[in-house]
Amino acid sequence: MQYDENIIITGSSDASIRIWDVKTGEPLHMLIHHCDAVLHLRFQNGIMVSCSKDRTIAVWTMSGNPQNIVMKHALVGHRAAVNVVDFDEKYIVSASGDRTIKVWGTEACEFIRTLQGHTRGIACLQYHGTLVVSGSSDCTIKLWDIEAGAILRTLEGHEELVRCIRFDSHRIVSGALRREKLKASLPSNSSLKN
C-alpha cells in the first residue's frame, strides 16, 4: 500500500491492485495483471511498480487520472515470490524468496544484474542512491553497492526473519517477527551518504 494527497493504491491477495480516493475512501479503479497475491507496490513520478507471489514485477505508467494507469512491462526472472520492490528514475530493485535481488533499468525495463549473498529468502529492502539494504530469513542484513553488485557489509544480530528495514545516511533500523529490533549505527568514518 502507498498513498499520496489524492489516492491510495493497495495490492491484494486476490491478485488485484485497487486505487481509492484518499478523501472519500471510495474505490476509483481496479487493475488486474498478476495471477497471484500482490505482495508490494510503490509509485512516484508517473510510474508504479508492483510485485507478486506469481514471481513477476509489473511496471505501470500513471497519468493524473487514476483510470489511466496502464501496464508498460512485465519483468520476469525470479524463481520464487517477489516480496518487495523499490525504484527511482535509474533502477528498479526487486527482492525474492529465491534469495536474490534483481536490478532492472527503470526506463527500458531491461535486466541489469543479480545480487546474491543471502542464504535464505529476502523479505525486505530499501534502495536509495547507490545503496541497497536488504533483510532476510537468514537473520542478516546486507548493505550492497548497486553499481558494483557487491556486498559492502553484513550485519548480524537478529534471531528471526528480518521483516522490515529502513536506512538514512547515519543508521540502519530493522525489525524482526518477535518484537525484536536492531539499530545499527555506522562507524564515524563510515557513511551511507551518496
Side-chain angles (χ1 to χ4, degrees):
M1 173 183 69
Q2 187 180 341
Y3 66 91
D4 65 15
E5 60 279 351
N6 299 311
I7 58 172
I8 301 167
I9 303 182
T10 60
S12 176
S13 60
D14 70 3
S16 70
I17 296 171
R18 296 176 195 261
I19 297 90
W20 309 82
D21 186 289
V22 78
K23 292 177 182 83
T24 67
E26 294 295 317
L28 299 173
H29 194 48
M30 183 172 74
L31 304 169
I32 301 289
H33 163 72
H34 294 290
C35 58
D36 207 336
V38 177
L39 300 177
H40 194 251
L41 60 83
R42 304 297 302 156
F43 69 89
Q44 64 182 335
N45 302 324
I47 299 172
M48 178 174 66
V49 179
S50 61
C51 63
S52 172
K53 200 172 178 179
D54 69 7
R55 305 182 303 196
T56 69
I57 300 135
V59 182
W60 309 79
T61 57
M62 301 171 67
S63 68
N65 181 343
Q67 304 292 332
N68 293 334
I69 299 175
V70 178
M71 198 184 81
K72 175 181 169 184
H73 286 286
L75 307 178
V76 178
H78 284 290
R79 296 182 322 253
V82 184
N83 296 320
V84 62
V85 290
D86 203 355
F87 75 100
D88 67 8
E89 66 283 343
K90 187 169 184 180
Y91 295 125
I92 296 168
V93 183
S94 58
S96 170
D98 68 7
R99 305 178 225 174
T100 68
I101 296 169
K102 295 206 179 283
V103 181
W104 317 81
T106 301
E107 183 64 31
C109 294
E110 80 280 12
F111 172 75
I112 296 180
R113 72 179 51 87
T114 299
L115 308 179
Q116 294 182 304
H118 282 291
T119 58
R120 296 193 63 194
I122 302 164
C124 56
L125 69 70
Q126 183 185 351
Y127 158 56
H128 181 73
T130 61
L131 300 175
V132 174
V133 177
S134 59
S136 168
S137 296
D138 65 12
C139 306
T140 68
I141 296 164
K142 293 194 183 290
L143 176 65
W144 307 81
D145 179 318
I146 197 168
E147 298 290 344
I151 298 170
L152 300 174
R153 196 163 172 193
T154 298
L155 303 172
E156 298 177 346
H158 281 294
E159 296 176 10
E160 298 284 338
L161 158 73
V162 181
R163 189 71 197 114
C164 57
I165 198 154
R166 300 307 293 166
F167 75 90
D168 62 21
S169 60
H170 304 289
R171 69 193 64 80
I172 298 167
V173 179
S174 60
L177 286 177
R178 293 191 183 170
R179 293 179 281 186
E180 268 185 78
K181 66 180 181 243
L182 177 68
K183 178 180 156 190
S185 297
L186 296 178
S188 58
N189 64 347
S190 192
S191 176
L192 292 178
K193 290 183 182 173
N194 293 309

